Amino acid sequence: MDNLNFRHLYYFWVIARDGSIARAAENLSLTPQTLSGQLATFESALGNALFRRANRSLQLTDFGQTVFSYADEMFQTAQALTDVLRQPPENRPLSLSVGIAASIHKLIAYHLTAPALSLSREVRLNCRTGDTTELLKRLGQRELDIVLTDRQPASAEAGQFRSHRLASSSMSLFAAPDLAASLSADFPASLDRQPFLATSLDAPYISALMNWFSSQNIRVKVVAEVDDSALIKVFGREGLGYFAAPTAISEEVCRQYRVVHVASIQEVRDNLYAVTRARGGYNAAVAELLLERPELDDKIENTEQ
């Protein structure tokens, strides 16, 4: 960094972009002699030639091409930032970095984040999925603006974060049509020893669902543990077993994965929260995500059997 003069780097970038010192000097409002001297000073500081002359034109050396690739990214980004800063504050795009717990179903995650994208201002959305603990760590380090999760922060973290309730949906069971037909008769006893597709993630609703199975004297036959909510639905579509998903998205699950809604279990719920830092404000996009979503509460769809 001691040898890197950013004005010289900018001059080099313009020369490489324009293809000649004469054209670059005109664009920079400098004399060709001055610009040539600045380039020579920069090459001397770096200890390597950036250009070679070929048929009265300048060509980048291998070293020059490497430097140019970094400079081009830097100054393109700087230009984009300049364009944003020239806009009135109310027209500038909003930045929204969202952490989404891997245990949240992907369709639910979409419903929770989509409202922010419908604002009148442009929103640049960046989503990261992962374990809630790791996402909260990144939230505390200001790498994220908000975390969407199915559990509240631990009491030890209560002073650092604020938890906002968004929705609470009962859970439903789904299966491919043939399997669903056999499970619907004499429910819930029909579930006994039938193939079940379980999530391998530590989702709170899974513990509640297992307790419900036990209360109904249902012996659970787990045929696969999957840590991806979309993949578990694909397995279900192929008839490998039945699976659980929030009742709130039952219509979409049935339509997208061509499965059938078997039954809703009101005693088992999927609770959804937004977590923000306890101190500091947030922009309009984050504020939109903090609104409760009653349309996701106990929404039982009349799906085709």
Side-chain angles (χ1 to χ4, degrees), residues 2 23 60 65 68 70 82 88 97 112 118 136 139 141 174 181 190 227 273 282 303:
D2 292 340
R23 281 194 294 270
L60 288 167
Q65 186 63 56
F68 178 76
Y70 284 97
T82 300
S97 296
L112 295 177
S118 63
L136 290 178
L139 177 65
Q141 295 171 341
F174 302 84
S190 57
D227 67 357
Y273 305 93
Y282 30 78
T303 56

Side-chain angles (χ1 to χ4, degrees), residues 173-175 179-180 183-184 187 191 242 260-264 305:
L173 302 179
F174 302 84
L179 178 57
L183 296 179
S184 297
F187 182 88
L191 300 175
Y242 68 97
V260 174
H261 177 268
V262 176
S264 298
Q305 298 295 318

